[in-house]
Amino acid sequence: DRGLLVSNPYLTTANDQDAPASEQYRKLKSVIVKLSQMGDFDKALMVTSSVAGEGKTITSLNLAITLAQEFDHTVLLVEADIRKPCVLQYLGIKAQRGLTDCVLDGTDLSEVLVKTGIGNLTVLPAGRRVENPVELFSSNKMTELFDDIKSRYNDRYVIVDTTPLLPFAEPAYIANMIGAVLLIVREGVTTPDKLKRSLEMLKNHNLLGVVNNGVSRVNSLQGYYGYYGYS
């Protein structure tokens, strides 16, 4: 139901394109598009954060939506946080199968992809729960799946929403498979120590940038844009 898809207040780019936050997501999108056009990454990126509660999934969704709303862009959003998947919940969509089923059962991607009805946005759901996500993401089958995703859909943006970086091992494996990384930090949540540790973990990966989320006031420094910023 399209009404459900645009009703969630956190999906500001879908339900209120004139809102200040929507404008900041569009600015983030323009940076991402420019980086891809410059060859800094191949249109596939993962979105993560140091810890939970920093807004990585909301950023993934709004970035995906604002990209998909443009005529020239199609987007695949991968729900790779299988410990606490919530992408479909935000979208008001239900699906039984997804990423884990492709790896465990050999289910073809085409059978589990979900069209959202929001622009050209498609979602690969998390799929059924598994006992040990680390074993799943470190497997050769997962690597083959991400290779398939990147090659089969090389004409579209692929955004991968992952678990937080510091508590869990999965993002490190995904970063190796995807290549480019967007790190979310949140005012009042991300401490300097957590940020330093996260940057250290990502030093050998292609870190595109850091999104400063939940800014309480406009900062006069260049690179910060009010409530949602890109630095």
Side-chain angles (χ1 to χ4, degrees):
D1 184 278
R2 186 170 175 81
L4 287 174
L5 297 181
V6 296
S7 64
N8 192 296
Y10 291 106
L11 305 185
T12 178
T13 51
N15 59 44
D16 189 359
Q17 295 190 31
D18 294 327
S22 295
E23 178 61 24
Q24 307 317 311
Y25 282 122
R26 284 192 290 270
K27 290 179 180 178
L28 173 60
K29 175 204 65 178
S30 68
V31 173
I32 295 299
V33 170
K34 182 177 180 180
L35 289 175
S36 69
Q37 292 173 340
M38 292 172 60
D40 287 15
F41 74 111
D42 59 0
K43 289 190 175 182
L45 69 152
M46 81 170 210
V47 181
T48 190
S49 58
S50 299
V51 294
E54 297 184 85
K56 64 175 183 57
T57 300
I58 293 299
T59 302
S60 298
L61 274 161
N62 280 290
L63 175 59
I65 289 170
T66 193
L67 276 167
Q69 286 170 335
E70 288 198 9
F71 180 78
D72 293 335
H73 300 149
T74 57
V75 183
L76 174 62
L77 177 57
V78 180
E79 191 174 38
D81 183 351
I82 64 175
R83 293 178 183 268
K84 191 178 179 181
C86 55
V87 167
L88 295 190
Q89 181 180 345
Y90 282 119
L91 291 170
I93 299 173
K94 293 183 179 180
Q96 299 299 319
R97 299 185 300 168
L99 176 68
T100 57
D101 302 279
C102 291
V103 176
L104 296 173
D105 303 333
T107 303
D108 191 79
L109 278 169
S110 61
E111 297 180 25
V112 297
L113 296 181
V114 177
K115 292 184 178 180
T116 65
I118 302 176
N120 298 312
L121 175 61
T122 302
V123 173
L124 173 58
R128 71 177 188 266
R129 293 188 179 276
V130 298
E131 290 294 326
N132 193 332
V134 177
E135 288 185 1
L136 190 73
F137 280 95
S138 62
S139 68
N140 290 332
K141 288 186 177 180
M142 183 64 78
T143 300
E144 292 171 359
L145 176 64
F146 274 103
D147 286 344
D148 188 16
I149 289 173
K150 293 175 67 176
S151 62
R152 190 185 305 195
Y153 305 106
N154 60 3
D155 62 335
R156 71 177 67 187
Y157 284 90
V158 177
I159 299 174
V160 183
D161 180 47
T162 75
T163 53
L165 189 63
L166 296 183
F168 304 112
E170 297 96 280
Y173 291 105
I174 296 173
N176 286 330
M177 293 182 279
I178 291 297
V181 182
L182 197 64
L183 181 65
I184 312 302
V185 301
R186 187 175 185 89
E187 184 178 288
V189 176
T190 313
T191 63
D193 177 65
K194 291 174 183 175
L195 178 57
K196 182 178 179 180
R197 288 163 57 198
S198 295
L199 293 175
E200 180 67 21
M201 293 177 68
L202 295 171
K203 67 179 182 180
N204 294 322
H205 299 288
N206 182 16
L207 180 61
L208 298 177
V210 176
V211 175
N212 190 17
N213 187 27
V215 179
S216 60
R217 62 186 178 84
V218 176
N219 193 310
S220 60
L221 294 177
Q222 183 179 6
Y224 288 86
Y225 304 108
Y227 188 72
Y228 288 93
Y230 182 85
S231 176

